[in-house]
Amino acid sequence: MRSSPFPEDMLRRLDLFGRYEVDPRTCGIDGSEIWPTCVAPFYPYSQEDRDGFLGNLHAAVADDHGGFATYGAARLVWELLGGEALRTAAAWPLIDAGIEFKAARGLSTAHFTGYEMQRIHERQHTKEI
């Protein structure tokens, strides 16, 4: 079995990123560590091998079951791929899991990003839910 290309603490980094992204003001996480720890290190991989990156990211949160690491993975996809994520089928399960994370917490649509709202709209109109 092939080992993950991510650091051993990847789940912790994704959890940290997810918690910070949900509530940056009161989560108690120093925002200055987010970019260099949770986002920037993964940019080259996401650009060199998008499908490999997304597949390994999905595998990294497979046992998280919709927690903060799952949301962190969804946010990482948005940060690294931007709008291209909406045109990348391999990104959709991660994006959708992030949307479900917010929905499960009863957050209003005001808490969803423009990208997330666009994905929700696409899912509703393609019946891909």
Side-chain angles (χ1 to χ4, degrees), residues 23-128:
D23 189 1
R25 292 182 314 148
T26 63
C27 68
I29 297 168
D30 180 359
S32 68
E33 80 176 272
I34 296 300
W35 182 260
T37 303
C38 304
V39 181
F42 311 108
Y43 180 77
Y45 181 29
S46 72
Q47 302 305 300
E48 294 164 8
D49 180 7
R50 181 173 294 165
D51 289 338
F53 168 76
L54 292 168
N56 283 309
L57 188 58
H58 193 272
V61 295
D63 293 330
D64 185 49
H65 304 294
F68 285 96
T70 297
Y71 183 62
R75 291 299 307 140
L76 187 60
V77 168
W78 291 123
E79 286 293 324
L80 299 178
L81 303 183
E84 188 63 30
L86 292 170
R87 295 179 292 281
T88 305
W92 297 344
L94 291 162
I95 293 167
D96 293 346
I99 291 168
E100 294 308 315
F101 172 88
K102 285 182 167 180
R105 281 153 184 75
L107 298 176
S108 71
T109 56
H111 291 93
F112 288 80
T113 68
Y115 287 139
E116 289 167 335
M117 290 304 298
Q118 188 173 345
R119 176 66 184 148
I120 290 167
H121 179 75
E122 288 173 1
R123 287 180 7 179
Q124 290 171 340
H125 285 38
T126 61
K127 305 224 187 296
E128 185 221 301

